[in-house]
Amino acid sequence: GSLDSFGYQIRNKIWESTIALKATQIEDDSYGLFRPVVAELGRSVALFPDELVYGLLAAGFTSACYDGQNFFDSNHPVKDANGDDTFVANVQAGAGAPWFLLDLSRGLKPIIYQLRRQFRFVAKTDPQQSDRVFASNEYIYGVDGRCNVGYGLWQLAYASKAPLNRANFRAARQAMINLKADYGRPLGIKPTLLVVGPSLEQTARDLITS
């Protein structure tokens, strides 16, 4: 497929998380119970890009990409060497827990994380600077940033719900390697990453290390 006639755009969103703690609780917190709550905001920011990226990857079975097909689909339109339309799959049939092969060796990725504004941490604890601190005797802690994710090239990702075993893994990998662009041009796909959920973690480890 081609991006030539597709108006591709990832619309950024503002993401934020805020907590409010009573000032008296902070002042009386001799055991340091509330400091980890605030620190958890920082941890959530560090993990948030992964949540967006892998969440979008998992949704690829039912979410459209640039060619109008689902990101993982059996009918991606590609022109053959003669210019005739053919249909190509980047999904392996099955009914089990999904697993994915990705080619992350290129500048363009299968899933694009677009960061427009870095996440920033704000602490409002001064009653002279914040009406809410003064009026409600609450300290406000928050983080916010501007970013979003979107689908890149479907050719760089392959999904399967078939059992994760050597035969299915090899078949998926070979299917990716064999993919061609329009008019039979080789793409040189090189699967570099196997992505699985928790239920397949040990199976994936055993497969890769065998």
Side-chain angles (χ1 to χ4, degrees):
S2 171
L3 292 171
D4 292 347
S5 60
F6 184 83
Y8 192 84
Q9 185 178 30
I10 297 176
R11 291 179 173 85
N12 296 290
K13 295 181 180 180
I14 296 176
W15 309 86
E16 62 86 21
S17 180
T18 304
I19 58 173
L21 300 172
K22 285 294 184 182
T24 52
Q25 292 176 307
I26 301 293
E27 293 163 357
D28 297 339
D29 184 21
S30 58
Y31 295 100
L33 298 178
F34 293 108
R35 183 172 295 175
V37 174
V38 177
E40 185 64 20
L41 279 176
R43 179 179 179 274
S44 67
V45 167
L47 293 177
F48 189 60
D50 286 346
E51 292 182 23
L52 288 179
V53 168
Y54 290 110
L56 193 68
L57 186 69
F61 296 97
T62 56
S63 300
C65 65
Y66 72 86
D67 64 2
Q69 300 298 120
N70 289 331
F71 186 67
F72 296 117
D73 202 278
S74 58
N75 289 304
H76 288 290
V78 177
K79 294 185 182 300
D80 64 16
N82 298 318
D84 297 323
D85 287 331
T86 61
F87 297 98
V88 178
N90 69 332
V91 64
Q92 193 178 55
W99 50 274
F100 310 88
L101 279 178
L102 307 178
D103 180 354
L104 303 182
S105 67
R106 298 161 180 253
L108 183 60
K109 307 303 181 187
I111 305 292
I112 300 168
Y113 174 67
Q114 181 171 271
L115 180 62
R116 277 291 177 258
R117 188 180 76 232
Q118 291 282 356
F119 280 82
R120 60 191 175 187
F121 178 81
V122 177
K124 294 186 177 182
T125 59
D126 187 345
Q128 294 182 352
Q129 299 294 325
S130 171
D131 291 340
R132 183 170 175 182
V133 173
F134 179 80
S136 301
N137 200 33
E138 288 182 334
Y139 291 165
I140 311 300
Y141 302 92
V143 291
D144 79 301
R146 186 165 173 253
C147 63
N148 211 348
V149 291
Y151 292 114
L153 294 181
W154 59 264
Q155 294 92 333
L156 302 179
Y158 197 96
S160 176
K161 291 186 178 181
L164 179 54
N165 55 40
R166 183 171 297 182
N168 289 332
F169 175 83
R170 286 180 172 177
R173 186 173 182 276
Q174 194 61 48
M176 285 189 74
I177 292 172
N178 291 342
L179 285 174
K180 291 181 171 56
D182 285 337
Y183 305 105
R185 291 179 289 112
L187 283 170
I189 302 293
K190 299 176 182 177
T192 60
L193 183 68
L194 172 62
V195 178
V196 301
S199 66
L200 291 176
E201 179 183 1
Q202 192 57 53
T203 302
R205 290 184 183 275
D206 291 344
L207 177 66
I208 296 300
T209 57
S210 64

